[in-house]
Amino acid sequence: MAPQPSPLLVRFEKHLPQSGLALDVACGYGQNTLYMAQRGLISTGFDLSMKALAAGREAAARSNLTVSFVQVDLTRFSLPRNTFSVVICFKYRDPQLYPTLRATLRPGGLLVYETYTIEHLKYGRKPLNPAHLLGRNELRDAFGDWEIIFYHEAWTGRGVASLVARKPFSAAGS
Ligand SMILES: C[S@@+](CC[C@H](N)C(=O)[O-])C[C@H]1O[C@@H](n2cnc3c(N)ncnc32)[C@H](O)[C@@H]1O
């Protein structure tokens, strides 16, 4: 079965703009990239895996959607400043990415970020590499000077942090 869009993204759908550029960082099979394209956003998904990107392209073709799936190594790339109206990232952690994500969102743009935390280790399920797990309050610390629409950490039964935040209009490029 094709992966479904993230419940967090669906829940906060009303906060998505109806037009503009959207970026899905570490998009995997692209179910969230497609979800944004279905809502009128010009959507791009970045991932390292050619296999995942190919699956995303096939799903886009089946749905008759125009989506760019681009092979990018997120440990070595750059993005233009103040460009995207939406940036999303699910199940991928790299704190060195935060300044880039902050800068590439347009003022007023929306960030939706959700991934596993260090708490997840106690459930004995992947991911198990601590380097891939958020520290406590890591996302809130990285984006806490923005307008926090939603933040939740330590869901029952899984260690996950979820953030929906808006870049303030006063924060161009920061
Ligand atoms: C757990 S999957 C999450 C995929 C998708 N965001 C989702 O929620 O279904 C993590 C993704 O990160 C990608 N990834 C890992 N390291 C990467 C890197 N250095 N650059 C780009 N993508 C990377 C993997 O290929 C994989 O598709």
Side-chain angles (χ1 to χ4, degrees), residues 130-152:
H132 297 159
L133 300 168
L134 297 166
R136 192 157 293 176
N137 281 326
E138 181 173 316
L139 289 181
R140 188 155 53 189
D141 289 348
F143 299 97
D145 55 327
W146 290 7
E147 178 198 347
I148 304 293
I149 296 168
F150 179 77
Y151 184 77
H152 193 80

Side-chain angles (χ1 to χ4, degrees), residues 9-25:
L9 190 58
V10 173
R11 179 174 166 189
F12 287 91
E13 187 238 347
K14 67 174 189 292
H15 291 272
L16 293 172
Q18 288 171 353
S19 61
L21 301 180
L23 177 64
D24 185 357
V25 172

